[in-house]
Amino acid sequence: MAVGVLALQGSYNEHIAALRRIGVKGVEIKKPEQLRGVDSLIIPGGESTTMAKLAELHNLFPALREFVGSGNPVWGTCAGLIFLANKAVGQKTGGQELVGGLDCTVHRNFFGSQLQSFEIELVVPKLAEKEGGTNTCRGVFIRAPAILEVGPNVEVIADLPVSSDQPKVVLPAIDGQEEREFTDDKVIVAIKQGNLLATAFHPELTSDSRWHRYFMAMVEEAKQEATPSEALVKYDVYANDEDVNAIGKRHLDLPIFE
C-alpha cells in the first residue's frame, strides 16, 4: 500500500520525491475518504494555521484523529509535528485545531520568524544505529517549532541547545500547573512514540534519505504486527520493480540540498 502524504499545503511534493528516491510510492491525501486507501501517513511542514484551516474546511480532523488513534504509522515534520502534539503554545490568537496523539508540548514558533530560519548538524545516534551512516544529520529549520516537554512514553531522538539570546518562553497554566517560564538549556527536535514519529525540521529538503527509510521501517514493523485478517487487506508499501528501475533513469524534478 502506498504511503499517504497530506497534501493541503507545504512540502508534500518534496516528501513524495524523497519517498520515490527510496523506491516507495507516495500518494496525495486531500479528502477524508482517501485515508482509507493508505495505512501510513506523512504530515508535511508548511504554515500550520493555514493547514489547519484547510483541514477543517475539508472535514479532515475526525478522519485524521481516527487514523492516528487506530495505531497507523504517522510522521509529522515541522507543521506536522504541531498537528500531532497534544498541547501547543505560542499560537496565533484563537489558536488552531490539533490532531493530537503525541504526549508532548510544542511551541509553534520557538526559533523565531522566517528570518531566523537556519541549518545545523544534529547528533542523532539512533538514526545511525537503525539506518547506518554518521551520527549526525543536517537539520533544516524553517520558522520551526520545538518540543518543550514530553511524556514518560516518548522517546527523544534528537535535541538542540537553546541559544543564549533566545527570547523568553512562558508555558501557560495547564492541567492545574501554574504558569512558568521555560528555562531548560535545550529543546527537543525529534521524538518517537509508538507508531508516531515527529521532527521539528525538514529531512525532505536534504539528500539524506535515512529519515524516510527510518519511517518505512516503522511501517514494515507495524505491518508485521498486524493480525492475519488485517494483513490480508494490505498491499506492499513499495513500488513495483518497474517503478523502482525508472527512478534511477529519471532526473529528479525538485531541488535537493546536499
Side-chain angles (χ1 to χ4, degrees), residues 32-43:
E33 57 268 23
Q34 292 173 320
L35 285 169
R36 293 196 292 268
V38 297
D39 58 2
S40 58
L41 180 70
I42 295 175
I43 304 177

Side-chain angles (χ1 to χ4, degrees), residues 195-210:
N195 283 336
L196 301 180
L197 176 68
T199 55
F201 48 95
H202 291 264
E204 76 279 7
L205 297 183
T206 76
S207 60
D208 189 345
S209 297
R210 289 180 298 166

